[in-house]
Amino acid sequence: MNTAASVHWHLLGAGNMGTLAASRLLHAGYPVQALHPQARPIDRTLSRNDQPMESLRLAVDPDGPVQYLLLALKGPQTRPALDALLPRLANDVLILCLQNGMGMLDDVALPGGARILHAITTDGAWRDGNTVHVVAENSTEVGGMNSLPDALEPLPACWPGWQWRADIAPAQWRKLAINAVINPLTALYDCRNGDLLDQGPRQAHLAKLAGEIDAALPHWLEHWPGNTTQLAETVAQQTAGNTSSMRADWLAGRETEIDFINGYLVRCASRHGIELPAHRGVLEKLSRRPH
Ligand code: PAF
């Protein structure tokens, strides 16, 4: 059996979620190095309740082999970064994906024995320079394989709210459904999540997107509960003051994750002969760069 100290992790994407997950790996006793174009170490401070709680220094590994990969990049950055990393990936590399959206690995020629796990989290954090402010440590559903690999056994004890799911697809689609409603609308209407609950045109738009999801998903996912309006309204309420990640990217002029959220949904639906006009509408509007 592997002990944590002999299982070397590499982190790709030292943003909010990547930093929080790296800290949990370190607490579980794993060595963690970063993969980054710059050579100098990555320094981060984790802050909870505005109190600096923990400092992390991740050395950058410029050329070593990669056996355990924590993938926490944004959707659009994923393929170019992984393509560049392919020569370093072990044939049986284990990739733990902690990302918004779906389909980021679909066009990457991963090694034949690659194993993929997905982590779907409701944790929340935001970053200000090198400080990651952790605002919520809720739950993370992890899975996509029949059982937890031996090498990961120390991890659940150090990851608050960890829940193992051999079948991770329902959790992935639940998260994608919420993101496919809240994220484009907050970017389009330039508002905070809670402002979608206006009892007017924004909430009607929300219900329209949610209704298309509930009509389409049962065509390829069994037991979809068909409650997307309620799910999205609840999350908008719980995160009322937040700026969604897509609104933040849009305002900053960065490429958004829409192609891996609404785009992925529209492509799945069209493979089943289903058109999603409201999703296509937001996709077209937000695929153009804002600046
Ligand atoms: O992407 C995001 O910003 C978040 O997943 C969510 C739930 C929409 C809250 O802001």
Side-chain angles (χ1 to χ4, degrees):
M1 178 165 311
N2 290 294
T3 62
S6 66
V7 174
H8 289 251
W9 282 91
H10 285 86
L11 169 66
L12 197 50
N16 312 334
M17 291 302 150
T19 303
L20 183 56
S23 131
R24 291 164 175 173
L25 289 172
L26 290 165
H27 282 280
Y30 298 102
V32 183
Q33 286 178 296
L35 298 165
H36 203 271
Q38 70 173 35
R40 57 179 191 279
I42 296 180
D43 287 306
R44 295 275 186 264
T45 299
L46 275 185
S47 156
R48 293 183 175 85
N49 301 321
D50 287 329
Q51 300 293 317
M53 303 294 281
E54 188 183 337
S55 292
L56 275 76
R57 165 162 280 218
L58 299 177
V60 173
D61 180 3
D63 49 18
V66 175
Q67 174 81 62
Y68 294 92
L69 177 64
L70 174 61
L71 176 57
L73 285 175
K74 295 232 177 201
Q77 298 161 2
T78 304
R79 184 171 175 193
L82 280 180
D83 280 349
L85 200 61
L86 284 177
R88 295 175 57 185
L89 297 184
N91 185 52
D92 61 347
V93 60
L94 190 145
I95 306 179
L96 177 58
C97 301
L98 186 58
Q99 299 184 285
N100 265 347
M102 290 172 78
M104 284 76 77
L105 302 183
D106 286 357
D107 297 323
V108 182
L110 291 173
R115 298 163 294 161
I116 316 285
L117 286 175
H118 295 279
I120 308 299
T121 190
T122 56
D123 291 342
W126 57 279
R127 189 150 71 94
D128 172 20
N130 281 335
T131 302
V132 173
H133 298 265
V134 181
V135 287
E137 291 184 270
N138 296 320
S139 66
T140 304
E141 294 171 87
V142 185
M145 293 167 64
N146 288 339
S147 57
L148 181 72
D150 288 350
L152 268 63
E153 267 172 20
L155 194 50
C158 298
W159 193 305
W162 171 289
Q163 295 167 38
W164 176 256
R165 303 268 184 259
D167 180 10
I168 196 70
Q172 288 180 287
W173 281 106
R174 192 173 59 246
K175 169 102 174 166
L176 187 124
I178 293 166
N179 286 149
V181 173
I182 295 181
N183 294 20
L185 292 183
T186 50
L188 215 54
Y189 293 108
D190 192 15
C191 67
R192 292 181 185 267
N193 296 355
D195 299 332
L196 295 176
L197 307 174
D198 68 344
Q199 310 280 341
R202 296 173 189 180
Q203 204 159 348
H205 204 163
L206 179 154
K208 184 114 194 108
L209 290 172
E212 286 189 359
I213 292 173
D214 288 339
L217 268 182
H219 287 263
W220 64 85
L221 190 76
E222 269 189 305
H223 311 305
W224 178 252
N227 59 347
T228 303
T229 302
Q230 192 197 329
L231 275 178
E233 289 186 350
T234 305
V235 172
Q237 182 75 58
Q238 286 166 343
T239 60
N242 287 14
T243 282
S244 78
S245 48
M246 195 174 291
R247 179 185 181 218
D249 286 340
W250 182 254
L251 287 175
R254 293 187 292 261
E255 191 174 350
T256 73
E257 296 186 292
I258 194 144
D259 197 43
F260 300 95
I261 300 176
N262 303 78
Y264 187 79
L265 180 69
V266 164
R267 289 191 292 279
C268 280
S270 84
R271 278 200 294 277
H272 288 83
I274 304 163
E275 262 307 306
L276 303 179
H279 286 275
R280 215 175 260 289
V282 293
L283 190 56
E284 276 163 17
K285 288 196 177 104
L286 293 171
S287 292
R288 277 177 253 121
R289 296 291 290 269
H291 302 301

